Amino acid sequence: EITGTIKIISSDAFNGCTSLYKVFNYSNLPLEEGSKNYGYVAYYAKSVVELDKVDLKGDFQFQTIEGEHYLVNYVGEKSEVVLPTDYNGDSYQIAAAAFYNCDSVKAITIPAGVKAIGEGAFNGCDNLASISIAKDVVSIEADAFKGCGKLSELYVETLESWLEVECGNKSSRPNSNGKTKLYIAGEMLKEVEIPAGITSIPDNAFCNCDSITSVIIPAEVEAIGAGAFAGCTTIASIVCNAEEAPVCGAKA
């Protein structure tokens, strides 16, 4: 926290502090993410919360930047957290590091009205075991669930919410024995039917989802990324563009 009494920060005060993830700015200093000014205090940060611009709604702090609304911080101590359905009637995004190191949280429900989950949004939520994501979420950025070692249940309303999750984010999907679990409406994912309208499947989109037994890929899909189904050892059937094709160009 940079308090209101601070007027000057020496040039290298925070240089090299690569683990400085989130900065709360109570001062009048114009701190900007990625800037080396003011002693590198915001250079490594994923999120800079300007406290004078924050609007508190219950246990949630919101900030509006260039017309976009963001949930920037959670100040509650509940174990089961249901996010607001909107911000003053509008949709919003979960900002980078919004729930950083919130150890009290065990279950999160992300309702309709939330458009995106920012980088490292739930990083360090050591006790987070279950998360439910509504269909409005169209992107999940890198490291969103990094460090969530107890996360074993992920519920999504549509596959579109899942396709942006990076395979390298291993901590987002293992259960206690290291196996991947992906849930759709409360059931472990076995049959995957890519929604109509999706034109490409990203690299590693379903990697290590070893419960999947069959995949249906619609005609709109023009490209399947490398490793899209890597590690999916239980897949017995892939229907691609309405024709049987065992691999469909994916490096499984």
Side-chain angles (χ1 to χ4, degrees):
E1 295 182 359
I2 308 300
T3 66
T5 59
I6 294 178
K7 306 297 181 183
I8 299 174
I9 301 177
S10 61
S11 58
D12 289 313
F14 295 92
N15 192 1
C17 297
T18 57
S19 297
L20 185 58
Y21 209 82
K22 191 172 186 177
V23 175
F24 293 91
N25 185 18
Y26 291 88
S27 72
N28 292 320
L29 299 177
L31 305 181
E32 296 182 3
E33 296 169 31
S35 172
K36 296 180 181 179
N37 296 330
Y38 304 101
Y40 285 75
V41 65
Y43 181 71
Y44 304 101
K46 302 297 182 185
S47 175
V48 176
V49 180
E50 301 286 347
L51 272 299
D52 63 333
K53 299 177 182 178
V54 162
D55 183 18
L56 182 65
K57 299 287 188 181
D59 291 334
F60 307 97
Q61 292 179 332
F62 286 87
Q63 188 171 330
T64 301
I65 303 172
E66 297 180 352
E68 288 287 338
H69 306 304
Y70 296 88
L71 193 167
V72 295
N73 195 39
Y74 174 65
V75 296
E77 296 182 354
K78 296 177 181 177
S79 61
E80 297 184 4
V81 178
V82 178
L83 273 57
T85 56
D86 59 76
Y87 173 69
N88 294 339
D90 295 327
S91 59
Y92 64 92
Q93 303 178 41
I94 301 174
F99 288 81
Y100 179 64
N101 277 353
C102 290
D103 293 336
S104 64
V105 178
K106 296 181 180 180
I108 289 279
T109 298
I110 300 175
V114 178
K115 299 189 296 183
I117 300 175
E119 182 177 356
F122 297 95
N123 188 349
C125 293
D126 296 338
N127 294 307
L128 182 60
S130 175
I131 185 165
S132 176
I133 303 175
K135 63 183 179 181
D136 289 23
V137 175
V138 295
S139 69
I140 302 173
E141 296 187 13
D143 297 330
F145 306 106
K146 183 178 181 180
C148 300
K150 294 183 180 179
L151 186 59
S152 61
E153 297 181 355
L154 174 63
Y155 300 83
V156 297
E157 289 187 14
T158 74
L159 294 176
E160 292 178 51
S161 300
W162 180 253
L163 292 180
E164 295 294 333
V165 179
E166 296 183 4
C167 180
N169 186 7
K170 300 291 186 182
S171 61
S172 70
R173 296 180 288 178
N175 63 14
S176 58
N177 62 12
K179 294 292 185 179
T180 296
K181 281 188 178 180
L182 177 60
Y183 289 79
I184 302 293
E187 298 293 334
M188 187 185 294
L189 184 64
K190 294 182 179 180
E191 299 178 357
V192 173
E193 183 172 356
I194 305 300
I198 290 180
T199 58
S200 65
I201 300 175
D203 293 352
N204 306 314
F206 293 92
C207 67
N208 293 331
C209 291
D210 56 7
S211 62
I212 298 175
T213 58
S214 65
V215 180
I216 298 175
I217 301 173
E220 293 95 329
V221 174
E222 299 174 354
I224 300 175
F229 297 96
C232 299
T233 56
T234 57
I235 291 181
S237 171
I238 297 179
V239 179
C240 186
N241 293 333
E243 295 181 2
E244 285 287 346
V247 292
C248 294
K251 296 180 181 179

